[in-house]
Amino acid sequence: MAASKSAGVVSDRELVFTRVFAAPRELVWKAWTQQEHVGQWWGPNGFTTTTHEMNVKPGGAWRFIMHGPDGRDYPNRIHFIEVAEPERLVYRHGGDGDVEDVEFHVTVTFTQQGKQTALTMRMLFPSAEERERVVREYGADEGAVQTLNRLNTHLHAMVARIESAATERDLVISREFDAPRELVWKAWTDPAHVARWWGPNTFSNPVCEMDVRPGGAFRIVMRGPDGVDFPVKGVYREIVEPSRLVMTMDLSEHPEEFKDLIDPNRPKDSDPVGELLQTVAFEDLGGRTRLTIRTRVRTAAIRDAMLRMGGTQGWSESLERLADLVAKGASS
């Protein structure tokens, strides 16, 4: 996990720490503000944390005890002043008689930088002398750096768990085409062309309506050789021409027999599949194109059921039809 860090003094009353985490801002915020996460990384190396109360809202408090590696306990209390999810936290540390003799204000900002998050933590003390005392007696500067290192490790584990779970819910198929990327993109985004290749062999598409723009909708009705219709609809979420399409897919209008194959024990009139998220990547290979389709479903069980039903084979036949189309130049 790529990261950078620095610690410094901006004024004689402050300690300022910055760190860039390879995790989205919402995840960093979650790690900082939820009890089940913060207890796993808060404090310098060798410390553990027991939380007695955590209410992250203006006027709320976080009461906790930090247990040092030498067996000493350090009671702490934080009072939240400002909570602007997921951008900014302001709180006061200490100030009550039953906690450590350390009092300061903290402002934590979370700034999204692409897929990363820049975090800045500013600790403001009542005086320069108090800042020096806390650094001298408690090692606040090095302790904060170690704490952010532990947060980095915890975020790495959180991201890995999310990616692992997502992989278990993905259907992925890839194919290379002997055609330029712009041509393959056109075949994916022009309804007149999509209607000619979408669906397995022997299927047709009597309805193919597409509004290819972010927020635009599409609806395709595949018709099998037995005359049974399999409608699919969705909304485009992201369009980066000619490299990336992201869209939702809704199969709720599919025949009941299809739904029973996914989950024969489903409640009547329920949709066992739910909304899918499909990402299509178009990679330029110097006159050729590699296409990768990643379809994310709600659970691994749904993915496995769709595989058993021949989902991969269906896409393979569709892409074979697409290959025939782009080989002809998609000119008619």
Side-chain angles (χ1 to χ4, degrees), residues 105-121:
H105 278 72
V106 177
T107 300
V108 187
T109 57
F110 305 76
T111 304
Q112 187 78 42
Q113 294 184 347
K115 296 182 179 180
Q116 298 184 324
T117 303
L119 183 142
T120 300
M121 181 172 66

Side-chain angles (χ1 to χ4, degrees), residues 203-279:
F203 277 67
S204 62
N205 296 288
V207 177
C208 188
E209 302 166 343
M210 302 169 62
D211 182 9
V212 187
R213 60 181 176 83
F218 70 90
R219 187 171 187 268
I220 302 172
V221 177
M222 296 187 299
R223 180 165 295 164
D226 55 0
V228 177
D229 287 346
F230 294 82
V232 58
K233 60 185 178 181
V235 175
Y236 294 100
R237 287 190 175 177
E238 181 182 347
I239 297 175
V240 184
E241 184 177 354
S243 60
R244 178 179 166 91
L245 284 172
V246 181
M247 67 201 81
T248 64
M249 300 189 74
D250 180 350
L251 309 183
S252 59
E253 296 182 30
H254 270 39
E256 294 301 306
E257 294 79 5
F258 167 84
K259 300 176 183 178
D260 289 340
L261 289 171
I262 297 290
D263 182 5
N265 299 316
R266 67 187 176 87
K268 187 178 180 180
D269 299 326
S270 67
D271 177 16
V273 181
E275 187 177 80
L276 313 180
L277 184 67
Q278 188 167 88
T279 301

Side-chain angles (χ1 to χ4, degrees), residues 17 30 82 89 111 138 141 170 190 212 218 224 247 300 312:
F17 305 87
K30 182 177 180 180
E82 180 183 343
L89 277 175
T111 304
Y138 293 94
D141 50 352
D170 284 353
D190 185 329
V212 187
F218 70 90
M247 67 201 81
T312 301

Side-chain angles (χ1 to χ4, degrees), residues 8-202:
V9 179
V10 175
S11 74
D12 60 0
R13 295 171 52 203
E14 282 187 306
L15 288 174
V16 180
F17 305 87
T18 64
R19 184 84 187 225
V20 178
F21 299 103
R25 180 168 62 173
E26 289 74 14
L27 200 66
V28 182
W29 176 273
K30 182 177 180 180
W32 196 284
T33 58
Q34 294 189 3
Q35 180 175 334
E36 62 267 31
H37 291 293
V38 74
Q40 299 185 52
W41 61 266
W42 188 270
N45 297 340
F47 278 72
T48 58
T49 299
T50 300
T51 293
H52 296 292
E53 174 190 1
M54 190 172 192
N55 191 6
V56 185
K57 67 176 185 179
W62 177 23
R63 295 189 304 110
F64 59 98
I65 297 177
M66 296 173 61
H67 310 285
D70 58 357
R72 180 181 172 182
D73 289 341
Y74 300 81
N76 286 262
R77 180 171 294 168
I78 281 173
H79 298 272
F80 293 101
I81 300 169
E82 180 183 343
V83 178
E85 182 178 353
E87 300 173 356
R88 178 179 166 93
L89 277 175
V90 181
Y91 58 83
R92 175 171 59 89
H93 179 279
D96 293 320
D98 58 346
V99 300
E100 285 292 313
D101 183 25
V102 178
E103 184 174 356
F104 51 89
H105 278 72
V106 177
T107 300
V108 187
T109 57
F110 305 76
T111 304
Q112 187 78 42
Q113 294 184 347
K115 296 182 179 180
Q116 298 184 324
T117 303
L119 183 142
T120 300
M121 181 172 66
R122 308 178 72 93
M123 303 169 63
L124 178 64
F125 294 85
S127 66
E129 292 76 17
E130 178 64 6
R131 176 183 62 80
E132 290 301 323
R133 184 186 74 83
V134 173
V135 169
R136 183 177 62 253
E137 296 183 9
Y138 293 94
D141 50 352
E142 180 58 27
V145 171
Q146 292 180 12
T147 297
L148 294 181
N149 286 342
R150 294 181 66 193
L151 172 58
N152 185 60
T153 300
H154 182 66
L155 286 168
H156 181 85
M158 291 177 71
V159 170
R161 286 194 297 270
I162 291 170
E163 291 178 346
S164 176
T167 300
E168 293 175 355
R169 297 185 287 116
D170 284 353
L171 285 164
V172 183
I173 188 167
S174 184
R175 165 134 188 184
E176 293 187 10
F177 296 89
D178 191 15
R181 180 167 63 168
E182 290 73 16
L183 189 59
V184 180
W185 174 272
K186 180 180 180 182
W188 259 89
T189 55
D190 185 329
H193 297 318
V194 173
R196 296 171 59 186
W197 65 263
W198 187 277
N201 296 336
T202 72

